[in-house]
Amino acid sequence: MGGASEGVLTPAVATPPPLPFLPRKGALLATNGLAVVGGALMGGAKLGPTYILIIIGRFIVGAYSGLVSVLVPLYVGEVAPLRLRGALGTLHQLGIVLGILVAQVLGLRALLGTPRAWPALLGAGLLPAALQLLLLPLCPESPRFLLARGQRGRARRGLSRLAGPAAEAGLAALEAELGRGPAPKVGLLELCRSRRYRQPLIVTLGLQLAQQLSGINAIFYYSTSIFEGAGLKDPAVGTIGTGVVNVVATALSVVLVERAGRRVLQLVGLLGMMGCAGTLGVALKLGGPVWGALALGSALAFVGFFAVGPGPLPWFVGAELFPPGPRGAALALAGLVNWASNTAVAMAFPPLQDAMGPLVFLLFGGLLGGFSLFTFLLLPETRGRPFPDPRDPQNAPNSSPLALLGPPEKDTELQSLAGHEEP
C-alpha cells in the first residue's frame, strides 16, 4: 500500500506544467506503459529479488494511477456532451470499482490467493493495460485540444467520428469559442496565488478531502478485521460484499448524476455516510450477533452512500469549475491532495483504532458532518452548465464558484455528440 501511495504523489506534483501541451490520447497511451511495466515487475517478482520487484512495481503502478486520475477526467470532459458529462465522468469511477471487485474475487484462496498463484494475481493488471493499448488508438483525440493547436482537419475528423453529420456544427461552435482568444495558461503557483480561482480551488480540494477523510478507505483497507469484529464467520464474504455494493451504487450514480444533480448526490452521500459511521461505531462497540449484523449492514450502506456521490463526483466536478487554462494544474493538485490524504488515513487509522476502538468511526462521522456543511454552503450545481470562460467580465477576482460557470444549457458546444441539433 505504501509503495503505491507514494507512487501517485510524485506524478501528481510533476504533472501540472506539461498537461496543457500534451495530446490527451497520446498522454494516456504513454502513461499506460507504466501499468505494463509495473504489472510485469510484480507478476515476475518470483524470478528475482521478490520484495524489491514488488515494491518497485507498486511504485510504478502508483505513478500510473496518479497520472490517469488527472488525464482521464480531462479527456472525458473535453469529448463528452454537456448533458452526458456527469454520467460519462462517473463511468471512470465505475471502471475503478469494477477493478477493485475483480481483484477481491481473484484474491480468494479458491482462486489466486494462494502461495503459488499470488504472482498471477499481482500481474493481472497487465490484462486491462494490454486491452487499453489495443482499444485506445481507436478513440479520437480531443477535438478541443486539436483545434486549439490549429489542427482543424484532425479536429473535424475526430468530431466526425464522435458526431457523424453534425460534426460541422460542433466544429463551428468550438471555433467560435476558441476565437475569443487562447485561454491563458495558468501554472500551479499562479493557481494557488490567484484570487480569481481561490473559491473553485477550495471547493475542488474540499471535495477530494471529503472523499478520503470520510473513512471509506478505513473500511476498504481493514474490512476483514472490521467484519471479524462484527462476528462474521467468513470476513472475505463481507469484503466482496462491499465490492458488489460499490459497483451497484456507482452504476446507480451514472443514471442519477444528470437527473438529481451533483449537489444533491454529494449531500445525500455525505449525510448517509455520517449516519452509517455513527451506527457502525456503536454496533462494533456493543458487539454480539444482533449488533454484529447491524454493523455489517451499516458498513455496506456506508459504501453504497459513498459510491452514489462522494466517490465519483470529485474527479469531474473539479474540472467543471475551472476554465481550460488552470484546469490541468487544478486537477493535478486535486490528485495530490486526494492521494496524500489517502495515505494519511491509511497510516493514521491503525493507531486511532488502537486508541479509540470502534468509536473511531464516530470521528469519521464528525468529519462527514463538517463536509456536509461545506458542501451545502460552497458547492455550486454544475449540471447543465458549460465550462467557465475566464475572459467573461462577470468573472471578477472575488466571484463565487457559481459565478465562474456559464448559464445552464441543454447541450455542449459539441452538441453533435448528443446526436441532434438544438431547435
Side-chain angles (χ1 to χ4, degrees):
M1 180 176 63
S5 298
E6 291 170 5
V8 298
L9 298 180
T10 301
V13 176
T15 298
L19 272 180
F21 311 105
L22 289 177
R24 308 307 190 217
K25 188 177 77 170
L28 283 169
L29 276 171
T31 302
N32 197 61
L34 295 175
V36 174
V37 173
L41 287 173
M42 292 189 293
K46 273 193 172 182
L47 303 178
T50 301
Y51 294 111
I52 294 177
L53 291 179
I54 290 177
I55 291 172
I56 295 175
R58 285 177 67 81
F59 184 90
I60 293 174
V61 170
Y64 165 77
S65 300
L67 286 167
V68 296
S69 67
V70 177
L71 291 170
V72 171
L74 269 178
Y75 177 74
V76 172
E78 290 185 357
V79 301
L82 191 57
R83 69 187 184 94
L84 296 177
R85 194 169 64 200
L88 294 178
T90 307
L91 286 177
H92 175 215
Q93 181 74 7
L94 182 60
I96 292 173
V97 298
L98 275 172
I100 292 173
L101 177 59
V102 170
Q104 289 171 335
V105 173
L106 292 179
L108 293 173
R109 292 184 180 180
L111 297 175
L112 300 180
T114 66
R116 293 174 59 89
W118 66 260
L121 177 62
L122 294 183
L126 284 170
L127 295 178
L131 185 63
Q132 179 164 289
L133 284 176
L134 291 174
L135 296 181
L136 191 58
L138 303 179
C139 300
E141 181 56 84
S142 164
R144 178 190 294 272
F145 174 88
L146 294 173
L147 196 59
R149 279 145 188 80
Q151 302 180 43
R152 192 177 189 278
R154 290 187 62 194
R156 181 193 290 111
R157 290 194 294 272
L159 275 172
S160 297
R161 294 176 60 190
L162 290 167
E168 286 298 329
L171 186 65
L174 263 181
E175 287 181 320
E177 176 187 334
L178 296 175
R180 297 194 294 258
K185 300 297 184 292
V186 179
L188 183 59
L189 291 179
E190 184 179 353
L191 172 69
C192 294
R193 293 171 181 168
S194 172
R195 295 175 60 195
R196 178 187 298 272
Y197 304 122
R198 184 171 301 163
Q199 282 189 294
L201 185 61
I202 289 173
V203 172
T204 300
L205 300 185
L207 290 175
Q208 299 292 347
L209 289 173
Q211 183 190 85
Q212 294 300 328
L213 299 184
S214 65
I216 186 65
N217 285 321
I219 290 181
F220 285 148
Y221 289 152
Y222 306 102
S223 56
T224 298
S225 61
I226 290 174
F227 293 134
E228 286 176 345
L232 194 65
K233 293 182 178 180
D234 187 359
V237 174
T239 302
I240 293 177
T242 62
V244 172
V245 171
N246 204 7
V247 170
V248 172
T250 304
L252 180 63
S253 181
V254 173
V255 177
L256 293 179
V257 68
E258 297 297 355
R259 300 182 181 184
R262 282 62 155 161
R263 272 177 59 87
V264 170
L265 291 186
Q266 183 74 2
L267 281 171
V268 168
L270 290 173
L271 291 172
M273 292 168 71
M274 180 179 67
C276 291
T279 305
L280 177 61
V282 172
L284 289 175
K285 181 67 175 179
L286 296 176
V290 176
W291 290 106
L294 182 59
L296 177 59
S298 298
L300 295 177
F302 187 99
V303 173
F305 280 115
F306 171 83
V308 166
L313 295 182
W315 293 112
F316 66 87
V317 170
E320 293 178 326
L321 292 173
F322 287 93
R327 189 179 299 140
L331 290 184
L333 183 58
L336 172 63
V337 170
N338 182 285
W339 288 105
S341 53
N342 177 302
T343 304
V345 170
M347 296 177 65
F349 181 73
L352 283 174
Q353 188 179 33
D354 291 340
M356 302 178 63
L359 296 181
V360 67
F361 287 100
L362 299 182
L363 174 62
F364 288 123
L367 290 172
L368 286 163
F371 286 122
S372 299
L373 181 62
F374 172 90
T375 299
F376 179 77
L377 294 176
L378 294 180
L379 178 63
E381 180 55 67
T382 57
R383 178 186 58 171
R385 295 178 181 271
F387 288 131
D389 177 14
R391 295 170 290 267
D392 194 319
Q394 72 172 338
N395 294 339
N398 293 320
S399 295
S400 67
L402 186 57
L404 285 172
L405 300 170
E409 294 183 357
K410 292 184 179 180
D411 217 342
T412 180
E413 66 277 355
L414 302 180
Q415 57 183 268
S416 50
L417 291 175
H420 67 278
E421 294 285 338
E422 288 294 322

